[in-house]
Amino acid sequence: MKVTIFNGSPRGRKSNSHLIVEPLLEGAREAGAETEEVFLVEKDIEHCRGCFACWGKTPGICAIKDDMAGLLDLLLESDYAGMAAPVYGMYMPGLLKNFYDRFLPLATPYIYRNDDGSFYHEGRVKRFPRQFFIFNSGFPGKHNFDLLRAYVEMVKRGGPDRVVLEIYRNCGEALGVPDEGPPPEVLQKIAGFKDALRQAGRETVTTGQVCRETVDQLHVELMSDEEYMAGANKHWDRVIAESE
Ligand SMILES: Cc1cc2nc3c(=O)[nH]c(=O)nc-3n(C[C@H](O)[C@H](O)[C@H](O)COP(=O)(O)O)c2cc1C
């Protein structure tokens, strides 16, 4: 079984997204899966040109010759494919959006209607990996992921089993080790969050789903909104003072 996660943070290997992906894949490996994390920022991925050559002139094949064809092969040979990224402007960073735009060769041009009145293009490939969505925000609170949740709901319309796990981790900047060092009770909660990630990875590989209890542990509050704001604002006071 192959589990691949595409990390769409511009920070790549130094990202908070990576701090979330690492334990998840560790759990998947413990359960016997082959795993890979792909850092999109290290790849050559041009913007989609909107030429539709992949629908007309060369069906299924993009006109742009960069790393994308290889990445789509990797996606399609995976049993589970995850996308991990920070919230940017209440949505996903351009790096991940750009990657998604380049999925166009995987769809056919014809338009169909869903029962709920929305529309879709049928996939060109018969087997698509089941998916993870892993997002982290720099804000505390509950509303950072509203647009991303809407995006994931759209993916789920493709079939009830399409999405195996969704992680919406607020207070993302607490995951790294800020210079001030978070208080011990927060460190303990972060350790619990990472244990839950390992558990989610194991459950995915062994049962094909992640149980409610694990999902709840993944969304446990790391600290109060006020504590997070105070820590973050203090951090920026210091960074700005040091640069003066
Ligand atoms: C250009 C930019 C836009 C951002 N927009 C948001 C936002 O709308 N909401 C939010 O909660 N955090 C926002 N953030 C903060 C990031 O989501 C946060 O720093 C995150 O932990 C970074 O994760 P990463 O290390 O995986 O990239 C933004 C950061 C940048 C650089």
Side-chain angles (χ1 to χ4, degrees):
M1 178 180 294
K2 173 124 192 181
V3 182
T4 307
I5 298 194
F6 296 91
N7 182 325
S9 168
R11 289 172 170 173
R13 291 169 199 270
K14 294 194 173 142
S15 63
N16 297 323
S17 301
H18 177 56
L19 296 176
I20 302 175
V21 170
E22 236 180 356
L24 186 78
L25 291 184
E26 203 178 295
R29 278 195 300 278
E30 277 168 25
E34 182 194 338
T35 68
E36 186 170 348
E37 182 176 3
V38 176
F39 296 94
L40 294 180
V41 72
E42 297 174 4
K43 302 292 176 187
D44 175 20
I45 306 173
E46 284 185 35
H47 291 279
C48 172
R49 295 174 190 161
C51 69
F52 290 117
C54 62
W55 280 4
K57 204 167 154 196
T58 55
I61 297 169
C62 181
I64 305 170
K65 301 302 166 216
D66 57 9
D67 288 341
M68 203 54 208
L71 294 174
L72 288 181
D73 286 346
L74 177 60
L75 173 87
L76 295 176
E77 74 192 28
S78 303
D79 299 282
Y80 293 93
M83 311 295 164
V87 177
Y88 270 22
M90 303 304 285
Y91 196 54
M92 62 182 80
L95 183 62
L96 183 61
K97 177 65 170 60
N98 192 30
F99 179 62
Y100 275 133
D101 288 348
R102 297 287 304 281
F103 279 28
L104 203 67
L106 302 181
T108 60
Y110 303 105
I111 301 176
Y112 299 91
R113 195 195 305 266
N114 285 310
D115 293 342
D116 65 2
S118 59
F119 297 89
Y120 69 100
H121 293 288
E122 200 167 51
R124 198 177 289 282
V125 292
K126 291 290 160 248
R127 180 185 171 279
F128 202 84
R130 297 183 65 210
Q131 295 180 68
F132 296 130
F133 290 98
I134 301 163
F135 296 113
N136 91 89
S137 69
F139 283 151
K142 292 186 168 49
H143 294 293
N144 312 307
F145 305 100
D146 292 354
L147 298 181
L148 290 162
R149 282 181 197 275
Y151 176 81
V152 175
E153 285 309 309
M154 184 274 296
V155 173
K156 285 179 179 171
R157 283 200 206 120
D161 281 347
R162 269 282 172 99
V163 177
V164 67
L165 176 64
E166 297 159 61
I167 301 175
Y168 302 102
R169 178 68 273 167
N170 66 4
C171 301
E173 290 293 356
L175 297 176
V177 183
D179 312 335
E180 303 84 43
E185 62 275 14
V186 174
L187 288 175
Q188 211 173 3
K189 285 188 178 164
I190 293 172
F193 170 62
K194 291 189 174 173
D195 284 344
L197 287 163
R198 274 183 282 274
Q199 177 65 10
R202 282 190 293 266
E203 286 178 27
T204 300
V205 173
T206 52
T207 69
Q209 57 190 10
V210 180
C211 75
R212 187 73 253 167
E213 194 190 337
T214 306
V215 172
D216 288 346
Q217 282 166 6
L218 289 170
H219 293 97
V220 95
E221 190 180 74
L222 298 178
M223 62 183 88
S224 71
D225 296 353
E226 286 68 28
E227 277 175 295
Y228 184 80
M229 285 163 66
N233 292 344
K234 202 168 112 200
H235 165 80
W236 282 109
D237 270 349
R238 223 198 37 253
V239 171
I240 292 164
E242 279 169 11
S243 64
E244 277 166 359

